[in-house]
Amino acid sequence: MHIGAKALAALLGAALAAAPLAAETVAIRAGSVIVDAAAEPSGPATILIADGRIVSITPGHGEVAADRTIDLAGKTVLPGLIDLHTHLTGDPGGDFWKEATEPDEWDVVVGAKNARLTVLAGFTTVREAGSGRETAFALRRGTAEGLVPGPRIIAAGPPLAIIGGHGDTNGFRPEVNELLDRGFTCTGPVECAAKVRLASQNGADVIKITATGGVLSQQGRGLEAHFTFEEMKAIADTAHSLGLKVMAHAHGARGIELSARAGIDSIEHGTYLDEAAARAMKASGSVLVPTLMALQGVSEGLGKGVYTPVVEAKIRAVQPLMDSLVRRARQFGVTVAFGTDAGVYQHGRNAEELALMRAQGMSDREVLASATTVAARVLGMESQIGRLAPGYSADIIAVDGNPLTDIRVLEKVGFVMVRGRVIE
Ligand SMILES: [Zn+2]
C-alpha cells in the first residue's frame, strides 16, 4: 500500500486527537517504602504518580491531589524486580523436534501467557535472552503498549552462534537444520560483526551470543569456547560502537575468560568459573548472571524422560558446580546480577532465585540490590528503573514483611505496577 503525504498527515492528525489530553494521577498510600536496596524502610509514605512516572514520595498519608488513590497501608512498597535472563516465548521441557512443528506465532502466544505470570511474580523488567526472529520484539511492543499484561522487555532476538553450536538448530537431518536456520550463525570476525549490525537493524536492544557449548542443546561437543577470541572481540566492539551491550552464554572456564577479555559485558551461567576466569571478569568489569534456577528447574526433570540422554549427561555434570558459583565469583570481587533463565524452568518462579543466591553467602540486602539497582546498571537504565525516586518509571511492587530481613517475602508479591499501570 502506498500512502500519500496528505493522507499520512490526516492519519497522524487523527492519532494525535485520539491521545489522552491529561494523564490520570495516582497516589499510593504505602505502609512503608524501600526506595532503594541501600535504604531502610521509611514508614508510612505517599507516592504520587503521573504519566507512568513517580512525581514525589512524601512522608505520611496526608491529603494529596490525585485522580485515584491505592491503599497499600499494610504493605512494604519497593521497586519492581529485574530479571536479566528470561525466555518468555518458551516453556520448559518439551521434545526438541517441536522446533520443526511450532511456528513463531505460537511462541508469541506462549510468551503472552508467560509475560503475565512473570509480572504477577513482581518482575517489572526482564531481559529476553534469545528467542525466534521477531517473537520477543512483538511481545516487547505488546507489554509496552499495555495490550499484553507483562514486564518491560529488553530483547535480544535470536542469539549469535557458531554453525552447529548451542543456539543454532541441531539434531535434525541437514536439510531440516538448514530450513530452520534463523540466520544468526557466523564464522570469522567480519561475518560476526555483520550479524551484530543485522541484529541491531532488526531491533535488538542487546546482543546475545552463545560463547560456549550449552547444556540443553542436542550436541555433545562439551561446554568450552565455541567462538574464537577474534570473533568475540569483533562482536563486542561492533555492539559497543552501536551503543549495545553483549551478554554471553558461557559455561567452560576458558570460554568465560575469553569472553571477558573480549569485552563482553555479562557472563550468563558461568558454571565452570575458576580463578583465572574470575580475574579476567574482574579486570574487564564483566558481570556474572548466575541463573541458579535453571539448574534447579532442570534437576527436577532428571530421570523422568524429559531430556534426551546427551542432555541428561550434561545436566548431571554441571549440577555440583552451581552450588558454589556465586561464592566463587564474589571471592574474586566479580559483581553478581540477578537472572534466572526462566523458560528452562516454569515461568513465575523467578523469585525463588533470591533465596538460592542468599544460600551462597549474599545478604538479603545484597540479593535485593542484585535484582534492582545492580541489574538496572547492567541494562544501562540506572536513571530510570531499580529505585523509587521522582522521575523514575513507576515500576512498583508491594509485599507483606521486610525483604531486607527475609528476601523470601518477595516470593509472594501482592501488588504490581509497571510504567504506572496496575497489573490486574
Ligand atoms: Zn538462557
Side-chain angles (χ1 to χ4, degrees):
M1 189 175 71
H2 212 84
I3 300 182
K6 214 170 152 188
L8 189 62
L11 274 175
L12 284 174
L16 284 175
L21 287 175
E24 183 193 46
T25 54
V26 177
I28 294 178
R29 292 155 61 94
S32 198
V33 181
I34 299 172
V35 293
D36 183 308
E40 289 302 322
S42 66
T46 304
I47 306 173
L48 187 65
I49 295 146
D51 285 323
R53 294 191 175 277
I54 296 168
V55 176
S56 62
I57 305 173
T58 46
H61 290 163
E63 271 315 304
V64 177
D67 300 318
R68 197 154 61 93
T69 301
I70 297 169
D71 183 22
L72 297 172
K75 306 267 183 196
T76 303
V77 171
L78 67 156
L81 304 175
I82 301 166
D83 190 333
L84 292 173
H85 196 126
T86 66
H87 300 278
L88 292 174
T89 56
D91 275 326
D95 297 309
F96 79 95
W97 52 258
K98 286 190 177 161
E99 238 178 296
T101 58
E102 288 175 348
D104 281 359
E105 287 81 352
W106 177 246
D107 291 353
V108 179
V109 173
V110 170
K113 174 200 61 119
N114 291 331
R116 177 177 166 276
L117 291 176
T118 303
V119 79
L120 288 175
F123 289 82
T124 52
T125 298
V126 301
R127 187 166 68 166
E128 267 295 281
S131 47
R133 276 203 187 95
E134 293 188 79
T135 54
F137 303 148
L139 208 55
R140 173 180 67 189
R141 182 175 169 187
T143 64
E145 295 189 6
L147 301 181
V148 174
R152 170 188 295 97
I153 295 172
I154 311 302
L160 267 65
I162 63 159
I163 295 171
H166 183 67
D168 192 14
T169 312
N170 289 286
F172 302 102
R173 25 194 296 186
E175 54 272 46
V176 179
N177 283 335
E178 197 178 329
L179 265 178
L180 296 175
D181 180 22
R182 290 180 295 207
F184 280 91
T185 57
C186 62
T187 306
V190 172
E191 194 185 12
C192 288
K195 290 296 164 80
V196 171
R197 290 178 178 145
L198 180 64
S200 167
Q201 181 184 42
N202 288 0
D205 300 311
V206 58
I207 301 299
K208 165 80 185 287
I209 77 163
T210 48
T212 74
V215 175
L216 294 183
S217 46
Q218 306 302 321
Q219 29 122 33
R221 296 276 181 278
L223 296 171
E224 263 308 340
H226 276 179
F227 284 106
T228 65
F229 175 75
E230 289 69 25
E231 289 167 337
M232 292 195 207
K233 180 98 173 55
I235 289 168
D237 289 349
T238 307
H240 294 160
S241 76
L242 294 165
L244 298 173
K245 294 197 181 192
V246 184
M247 56 191 298
H249 155 112
H251 289 290
R254 301 289 68 78
I256 298 168
E257 191 180 350
L258 275 190
S259 302
R261 279 180 37 219
I264 283 167
D265 304 276
S266 69
I267 302 295
E268 317 287 311
H269 319 307
T271 314
Y272 288 89
L273 184 83
D274 62 7
E275 182 173 345
R279 289 200 189 282
M281 287 182 71
K282 173 71 179 161
S284 65
S286 303
V287 169
L288 175 70
V289 180
T291 70
L292 304 174
M293 271 304 284
L295 194 79
Q296 176 72 29
V298 295
S299 298
E300 290 166 13
L302 278 177
K304 294 180 183 162
V306 177
Y307 305 106
T308 58
V310 63
V311 171
E312 276 230 13
K314 287 192 280 183
I315 295 171
R316 290 186 197 279
V318 302
Q319 221 171 4
L321 289 152
M322 297 303 272
D323 296 338
S324 62
L325 174 61
V326 169
R327 232 180 257 282
R328 269 182 280 143
R330 279 162 45 90
Q331 194 184 328
F332 296 103
V334 172
T335 299
V336 175
F338 187 94
T340 69
D341 219 354
V344 166
Y345 67 91
Q346 217 78 44
H347 291 274
R349 291 177 59 186
N350 313 53
E352 290 179 40
E353 177 99 11
L354 299 162
L356 296 177
M357 294 170 88
R358 187 177 61 181
Q360 290 194 34
M362 292 176 78
S363 68
D364 293 289
R365 192 185 291 282
E366 286 171 333
V367 173
L368 180 61
S370 80
T372 51
T373 39
V374 175
R377 221 178 304 132
V378 172
L379 295 172
M381 297 177 76
E382 64 272 26
S383 60
Q384 302 164 61
I385 59 172
R387 305 176 61 219
L388 302 181
Y392 275 64
S393 181
D395 295 3
I396 298 172
I397 62 172
V399 292
D400 293 318
N402 180 1
L404 294 172
T405 54
D406 181 10
I407 200 71
R408 295 199 64 175
V409 301
L410 293 172
E411 290 177 20
K412 199 161 170 264
V413 171
F415 168 87
V416 185
M417 172 183 270
V418 186
R419 294 166 158 138
R421 287 189 206 108
V422 178
I423 306 292
E424 304 201 355

